[in-house]
Amino acid sequence: MMALIQKEIRNNVGIITLDNPKKLNTLSEEMVNDIIKALDEFSAKRLPVVVLKATDGVKVWSAGHDVKELPRKMRDPLSYYDSLERVLRAVEQYLGPVIAVVHGSVWGGACDLTMTCDMVIADDTASFAMTPAKMGVPYNLTGILHFMNRLPLNIAKEMFFTASPLLAKRAQELGIINHLVPEKELLDFTLDIAKTIMSRSQLSVEVIKEQFRILSKAFPISPADFERVQGLRRKVYDSHDYEEAITAFLEKRPPHFNGQ
Amino acid sequence: MMALIQKEIRNNVGIITLDNPKKLNTLSEEMVNDIIKALDEFSAKRLPVVVLKATDGVKVWSAGHDVKELPRKMRDPLSYYDSLERVLRAVEQYLGPVIAVVHGSVWGGACDLTMTCDMVIADDTASFAMTPAKMGVPYNLTGILHFMNRLPLNIAKEMFFTASPLLAKRAQELGIINHLVPEKELLDFTLDIAKTIMSRSQLSVEVIKEQFRILSKAFPISPADFERVQGLRRKVYDSHDYEEAITAFLEKRPPHFNGQ
Amino acid sequence: MMALIQKEIRNNVGIITLDNPKKLNTLSEEMVNDIIKALDEFSAKRLPVVVLKATDGVKVWSAGHDVKELPRKMRDPLSYYDSLERVLRAVEQYLGPVIAVVHGSVWGGACDLTMTCDMVIADDTASFAMTPAKMGVPYNLTGILHFMNRLPLNIAKEMFFTASPLLAKRAQELGIINHLVPEKELLDFTLDIAKTIMSRSQLSVEVIKEQFRILSKAFPISPADFERVQGLRRKVYDSHDYEEAITAFLEKRPPHFNGQ
Amino acid sequence: MMALIQKEIRNNVGIITLDNPKKLNTLSEEMVNDIIKALDEFSAKRLPVVVLKATDGVKVWSAGHDVKELPRKMRDPLSYYDSLERVLRAVEQYLGPVIAVVHGSVWGGACDLTMTCDMVIADDTASFAMTPAKMGVPYNLTGILHFMNRLPLNIAKEMFFTASPLLAKRAQELGIINHLVPEKELLDFTLDIAKTIMSRSQLSVEVIKEQFRILSKAFPISPADFERVQGLRRKVYDSHDYEEAITAFLEKRPPHFNGQ
Amino acid sequence: MMALIQKEIRNNVGIITLDNPKKLNTLSEEMVNDIIKALDEFSAKRLPVVVLKATDGVKVWSAGHDVKELPRKMRDPLSYYDSLERVLRAVEQYLGPVIAVVHGSVWGGACDLTMTCDMVIADDTASFAMTPAKMGVPYNLTGILHFMNRLPLNIAKEMFFTASPLLAKRAQELGIINHLVPEKELLDFTLDIAKTIMSRSQLSVEVIKEQFRILSKAFPISPADFERVQGLRRKVYDSHDYEEAITAFLEKRPPHFNGQ
Amino acid sequence: MMALIQKEIRNNVGIITLDNPKKLNTLSEEMVNDIIKALDEFSAKRLPVVVLKATDGVKVWSAGHDVKELPRKMRDPLSYYDSLERVLRAVEQYLGPVIAVVHGSVWGGACDLTMTCDMVIADDTASFAMTPAKMGVPYNLTGILHFMNRLPLNIAKEMFFTASPLLAKRAQELGIINHLVPEKELLDFTLDIAKTIMSRSQLSVEVIKEQFRILSKAFPISPADFERVQGLRRKVYDSHDYEEAITAFLEKRPPHFNGQ
Ligand code: NI
Ligand code: NI
Ligand code: NI
């Protein structure tokens, strides 16, 4: 069968290309497993930097979660061992920087994936939409933190509440895009940054990445608060509207939410 | 239909008596709702102290959760809005001290309930068994904290790992029983303590109880750690062994665990 | 007597208009109570989005705290149950997004109020001044966090240390204004965003707002550190300068601070 | 004027003797200042161990706070810079162990003081009563933590809710008395322990004491939770009952609490 | 060469016996590696319970760290990857309960090891001495927490400050010994407890152990506080006294500490 | 000998000028001590605002740590009592705002110093490079937090991973420069801001600065997580690459890193 991603090593930089454009590079379990496997291989070779991109020229960098794979009602759609969560952790735990190179629109779980990457290089077609409220999904706390660590609270909220795309220029101004470059220069520009990083002490970069990871998660809350959040989230994924959103999406019609 | 609890107000002390001895005072949803309702009534009258006891002379103070009401596989049996969790919070949030008076054995969720009460007065028939490992249940963090706030770590672990009863004398020595008194004096002794408390400033007692509540929950962990715990717990309640334990209990036979 | 606010429901969006321009829309206890009451009514109807604006065309969106209502020396001016704190919590705890629409200058407690709203839509007359240091007030920790969750630390400090207004253009660049739009389009633009939000799953939006609330407060410190902060703050509100600031303000003259 | 304490250095051990038996060794501001001064002197000499005792043979080791010095209504009676808080911190921050030697009864703030000492050696006349609820005082969080770090939660609550004395034998069993020895041997026994400690590495003991201090305070809570606790406490010290308790005490009559 | 430990599987219980009595079962790097290897093997077989004991009849269960292996001055003797720390983590992370069976005296790092085990079964020859202050060692925070999770603060401090042994009877009373049994019955009694544990749901026990592990470490402090502690600890291991303690020990003479 | 800094008081504003341009204003221990001494003097006079600048017209504001003073292998180069850490704390703990005025490039420890200042005023020659990865240094957690409190996570990471300078315009856009002004106006503009601050209540400003300090450090992590980070950092400063980086720097040649 066709590979869903391409992987390559160029000048010691690992390059992963999402390559299932017909399915809008949906983060299906299969594609996620391919990405994780590639990261494991690069890690075994201790490649200092990884680039995560999509096939050149696609309109949609990735459409996020494969809705067909979302659990039906009564089950948490963002559980710790679900595929999206596993790939986010794989990126966070990769030994060196993972740089997202973004051309086109990024949706939902894929948006969380780019926010989990250590840096984002994009061109002006890039846009970022955080879509759980479209799908009736109660998002998880760690995912929300990815946005709070990058954006003013009110901007992060707007992304989640509206599910509207944040366009490249504003994203660059706010800083979630590190560099906005012309489409043609995207990869070369990124590889130049990778080259700079690789001229530094890899040991030092590795431990600093780990320190950022730990600090960016240091928003501790009491078990009582967490269990309450989990109880609230369960009410959402037990709801009519969660089921309706998935059904409507698969039937390619707008959902009829009733707030219950 | 027959009431599952008795409630009474004596000298301004609210008294709740678990009174379903045929069902071993199982904390069924119905009984839990009755307890919460009684606490609400006492709270509306702002009774300074509540006593929680069982019918005189029973062998089993309460057998804990009603196993018939536990969710089948694939659902968290200790979710935030489940009946046991609701009654534990009702006790913790009652405006004044709730004192458990214990004669007989206390099992599982009822054991957590007595540990959630502000004080425990018992006679020498009392014993406390923490039984989730018998039922294949992954316990929740807030419940485990109730024990860690009272017992050396190694004793709390023994209770959970063995599910064996901790007997009255050892429980008193370790301090989880405030006072060990003869069966006949249980209630009078307790009402004397209540009387002492009621001679103090109710306002002061109320805020101090709330401070204890907040500090006893102040074991904050990161959302990442919590989501991992929740993922591990889900593996348990999705398991064969969880289903088998419930089935076996209802069929009154020992479970055949296979560790999966 | 005249109402201090106007309230309206348009296409299921709750609209609150501060409407006491003669008093510069000061957040007096009376106005605060009106806002909270309106939010309660909207909440009872479960309106998914609320808009908080001022009378059209005012120069001052709101001048913040009513200085006449500040406690004299020896009392904490930002205690938990004071009116400003109550309205901030009412906004944070409103079930859906509350969007501030800002034309004109915003001062002190009103500035904190806009930063507590989930989003801010403004025109180019908007400016935001954080004025406690002008009034000799020791601010509270939760209020400071509202700014830290939105701004680089050095910018938030400048706002508090100088009490100078942050102008619309810079506020938009830094991200505390979500959208900068022409005055005439302010409300329509905002209602369009509300419409988008209302096309999403209300259940999902509600729980995500609650998750943001909890995470944005997850800066835990030890009771010892907090009691020290409270002790330091008490020295400030016991000081000559605090008393002098209030007196000077009411006498419409500049304060004579002596640093004690 | 007469000194309120005696201080002495014996074999390099600093010894502080509370010596105002007519006033029941009340922790008046003056006595507190004397204790702190003695600790400062011992610290300047870097004495490795300090012993804190009362005049031999007194019935009351110390009666705690001087009620006459408690602030009237509208002011926090346990503020960070109040005398009791200052002496507790002085003990916690003393460079080496401070050992309380207890003969007789210990009340209120003095009870907190002994719990703040690093160790307690007592004879069988010792008893410990935690009395804020008698005086209508809302206790502070750090003070409550001193008890939670030593006792099962239900025992600590009983002490605060009843204000009844915990007697020597039970205190020893529960572990808040390190050693129970005959009255005659109290000081020699304690000096023997001091001698053992002084045979160890002072540097190591000093840093370990500091580590214990930090960890015993590591119950972090969010600023929002703390400000709520402070708001609740303020309601108590603004109340009729707080004022009444102080008045009644000074008039040597029982208080008439009305719960408001 | 002779093995330093014996390992055995009896009725599915893994048994590790420290067996280097000539060296007082010192926790040398070699012995630690053997223990970790045994735990790994038992883990690969998913043995539900492990017993950790010493050769029958020894006077010293284990003398703790091998002083010869302690780093000289200028290096942290309790760094994360040092052998003692590795074995403590291996026990904490073992998938099921690890039960220490103690006959004889336990010193220093071995004392920490028994406190890290999930339960302790001992006979009346058992004693527990925490000796870092004897060796001039600045202990680490995680190690101190093992004691704070089990003992009243003042008792834990006495252990560290005096380095004196806590005897079996008091240890049992305080709860750090789960059961005190006659020497002859030590192993059978322990295997009976293991049998009970193995009749429970292994999945449930595993996740509950992990929950205890996470909660028992939930004493978060700020990076600033930690870096300060580390700075203080470095002063100690850079000191004359640390070097002197090691030299004196190896020369079998008492150390001459000068507090510097 | 020549002073390394100039200090001056102008209109009650303390001004410190780094003045060792031949050594690129390296933050040598001597210069650090001079800065701390100046801050102490200004603090003794309770100057409300301090300005920290470099000699006019230098190309390099400061080159950061003096590499010659970095410890060789086997010692933490960023320990709590090292000179850089001491000066960062002195700035954070200064009683009023410390404003950095930046003309020219800022490297490494000096970059951390400007991020630790309360505000930054710069001209368009300013640039900020975070260089530990160039020197093989494992940075410390508190230092990383200075950047996380000001910048989107991905931008902070780019600074550390690439060690490339962030230029004035982008720095201003992202907000870490408060104001970008022409070189000639740098000081006057800054003194104007100082004047505004000094017209506010100094008491209020002081306590608010302290509150910002505490909240900006409120990223608590467990001792276990911290000790792991410290263990990882130790691997880096024990490495070949750390030693090589220092040697290469002193020999004025590029380092040959091998990742070990
Ligand atoms: Ni149960
Ligand atoms: Ni105000
Ligand atoms: Ni050791």
Side-chain angles (χ1 to χ4, degrees), chain E residues 77-90:
Chain E
L78 287 163
S79 182
Y80 191 76
Y81 297 105
D82 286 343
S83 56
L84 177 63
E85 299 306 312
R86 288 188 293 112
V87 74
L88 298 181
R89 287 200 297 279

Side-chain angles (χ1 to χ4, degrees), chain B residues 64-66 70 78 84 107-110 131-132 135 137 139:
Chain B
H65 247 111
D66 185 346
L70 284 178
L78 287 163
L84 177 63
W107 308 352
T131 52
M135 297 304 303
V137 164
Y139 219 64

Side-chain angles (χ1 to χ4, degrees), chain E residues 27 63-67 70 77-78 84 107-112 130-132 135 137 139:
Chain E
L27 294 170
H65 247 111
D66 185 347
V67 177
L70 284 177
L78 287 163
L84 177 63
W107 308 353
C111 181
D112 200 347
M130 203 52 214
T131 53
M135 296 305 303
V137 164
Y139 219 64

Side-chain angles (χ1 to χ4, degrees), chain B residues 165-184:
Chain B
L166 189 74
L167 303 184
K169 196 167 161 304
R170 182 66 167 151
Q172 193 263 359
E173 182 180 49
L174 292 167
I176 60 174
I177 290 178
N178 289 62
H179 297 278
L180 195 57
V181 297
E183 178 176 357
K184 288 200 176 164

Side-chain angles (χ1 to χ4, degrees), chain C residues 196-214:
Chain C
T196 300
I197 294 172
M198 291 190 296
S199 73
R200 308 311 181 199
S201 159
Q202 186 172 0
L203 279 168
S204 175
V205 168
E206 286 172 1
V207 74
I208 291 172
K209 170 162 173 168
E210 178 65 5
Q211 289 174 301
F212 270 114
R213 193 182 69 83
I214 287 172

Side-chain angles (χ1 to χ4, degrees), chain A residues 74-76 79-81 140-142 217 219-224 226-228 230-232 234-235 238, chain B residues 74-76 79-81 140-142 217 219-224 226-228 230-232 234-235 238:
Chain A
M74 314 293 277
R75 294 285 286 178
D76 190 337
S79 183
Y80 191 75
Y81 296 105
N140 58 352
L141 289 172
T142 49
K217 298 185 172 311
F219 289 71
I221 59 177
S222 75
F226 194 100
E227 292 180 359
R228 178 172 161 269
Q230 189 65 11
L232 293 171
R234 175 158 136 165
K235 285 190 177 178
D238 282 0
Chain B
M74 313 293 278
R75 296 284 286 178
D76 190 338
S79 182
Y80 191 76
Y81 296 106
N140 58 352
L141 289 171
T142 49
K217 298 186 172 312
F219 289 70
I221 59 177
S222 75
F226 194 99
E227 292 181 358
R228 179 173 160 269
Q230 190 64 11
L232 293 171
R234 175 158 134 165
K235 285 189 177 178
D238 282 0

